[in-house]
Amino acid sequence: MKHLDDLSQLSAATAAWRAAGLHVGFVPTMGALHAGHLSLVGAARAACDRVVVSVFLNPTQFGPNEDLDAYPSDLARDRALLEEAGVDALFTTSPSAMYPDGFATWVEVEGLTDRLCGASREGHFRGVTTVVTKLLNLVGPCRAFFGEKDRQQLVVLQRMVADLNLPVEAVGCPIVREPDGLALSSRNAYLDPAERTRALALSQGLRDAQQAFAGGETSGPALEAAVRARLEAAAAELDYVELVDPGNLARLAVAVPGAVLAVAAKVGSTRLIDNHALGQPWR
Ligand code: PAF
């Protein structure tokens, strides 16, 4: 695996692959890798000839009171995992290389970013869409892979790719869960054992709603209430639970197969998100 830490080296390496007719796949990450990230690498390997992974803790997607400074990081471990997963190139860089003095250009997707996580994380999606645009320009992949756990991020990025005619497909990959249902997230590392147990309320609530839907319940408020009940029992602090259209994230009053139930809540000081597309198999 090549380890590239220079923007022009990265562009040159991927340009050479494209010139040789190879399809480049890209998995952007912020590091602290887990099996969810590795599933994205697996999907990229299956679909592309060469796979690039970036590990860049992007400061512009964190608000002033968020966890940028505490975010877990272990580059040596990430590097070993990526090597073992058969990645062709790892790209790392610094905030000053990505955002040099005078940086003044931002990519913003309107509307979709105001709701759900966007309502409580002002500026978050602007940071995501800007850094992903820059990384896509540097890597030039034909496909980029994103986890469905960050469902809103995926929808926003797919909108951005379509609106800006970016020559890449933003591919969504299924959520990877612990055996007890907790969705994998780098932020799970913040949870102490008691919080780890309480954090199950998110996935348990979604499962309850999934079962209610399978039993014929289609009322959005009733399905949302099923999730809320689990969160209340676990004393988790609800940010939102909403039944939404998977294409445009508009709130739905009535569930249809594929409608997404999305939840965000704090357990202790850790903010967690999860979602499930109703009627789809639980993984
Ligand atoms: O999902 C993430 O880890 C980040 O938001 C991303 C896409 C790597 C951009 O920094």
Side-chain angles (χ1 to χ4, degrees):
M1 180 177 76
K2 294 174 197 278
H3 183 172
L4 308 167
D5 59 5
D6 179 84
L7 278 62
S8 46
Q9 267 179 358
L10 171 66
S11 298
T14 54
W17 285 333
R18 283 193 304 279
L22 297 170
H23 291 107
V24 178
F26 177 46
V27 180
T29 82
M30 297 201 299
L33 302 182
H34 51 64
H37 297 111
L38 297 177
S39 76
L40 305 182
V41 170
R45 281 198 59 187
C48 307
D49 304 308
R50 293 287 180 272
V51 176
V52 179
V53 176
S54 61
V55 171
F56 175 61
L57 185 55
N58 175 38
T60 64
Q61 68 188 77
F62 289 79
N65 300 318
E66 293 187 353
D67 57 340
L68 174 63
D69 294 336
Y71 201 84
S73 145
D74 186 344
L75 185 57
R77 181 177 170 278
D78 290 349
R79 205 182 142 136
L81 287 171
L82 295 174
E83 183 99 58
E84 198 183 314
V87 166
D88 297 284
L90 162 64
F91 173 63
T92 56
T93 187
S94 64
S96 60
M98 286 298 266
Y99 303 104
D101 283 348
F103 183 89
T105 305
W106 299 93
V107 177
E108 204 148 0
V109 174
E110 293 179 350
L112 287 176
T113 56
D114 298 341
R115 327 190 33 250
L116 304 174
C117 289
S120 59
R121 301 192 66 192
E122 207 193 326
H124 167 68
F125 286 110
R126 182 177 94 139
V128 171
T129 46
T130 300
V131 81
V132 170
T133 302
K134 285 172 66 72
L135 290 165
L136 291 174
N137 284 336
L138 290 162
V139 176
C142 54
R143 293 192 184 93
F145 297 82
F146 301 91
E148 286 178 350
K149 187 180 76 71
D150 296 293
R151 175 78 67 162
Q152 185 176 13
Q153 170 174 278
L154 175 64
V155 172
V156 165
L157 291 173
Q158 286 174 332
R159 180 80 263 154
M160 177 187 89
V161 162
D163 288 354
L164 299 182
N165 307 101
L166 300 181
V168 62
E169 183 189 353
V171 181
C173 298
I175 296 175
V176 179
R177 298 180 180 279
E178 300 278 10
D180 62 6
L182 184 69
L184 294 193
S185 162
S186 304
R187 290 189 167 97
N188 292 349
Y190 298 145
L191 300 168
D192 68 24
E195 290 169 342
R196 168 70 181 70
T197 303
R198 290 165 56 212
L200 287 176
L202 282 82
S203 55
Q204 285 168 339
L206 293 174
R207 280 205 85 155
D208 290 351
Q210 158 91 339
Q211 273 161 15
F213 180 70
E217 179 62 81
T218 58
S219 150
L223 294 165
E224 291 166 1
V227 182
R228 220 177 288 117
R230 285 282 190 172
L231 294 173
E232 278 164 17
E237 188 191 322
L238 178 72
D239 180 350
Y240 63 77
V241 54
E242 286 194 28
L243 182 73
V244 297
D245 180 307
N248 60 15
L249 303 177
R251 191 154 194 180
L252 295 175
V254 177
V256 290
V260 168
L261 199 50
V263 58
K266 265 189 173 175
V267 177
S269 56
T270 305
R271 187 176 184 279
L272 299 171
I273 58 173
D274 200 350
N275 70 85
H276 182 65
L278 296 174
Q280 309 263 308
W282 183 265
R283 292 167 183 267

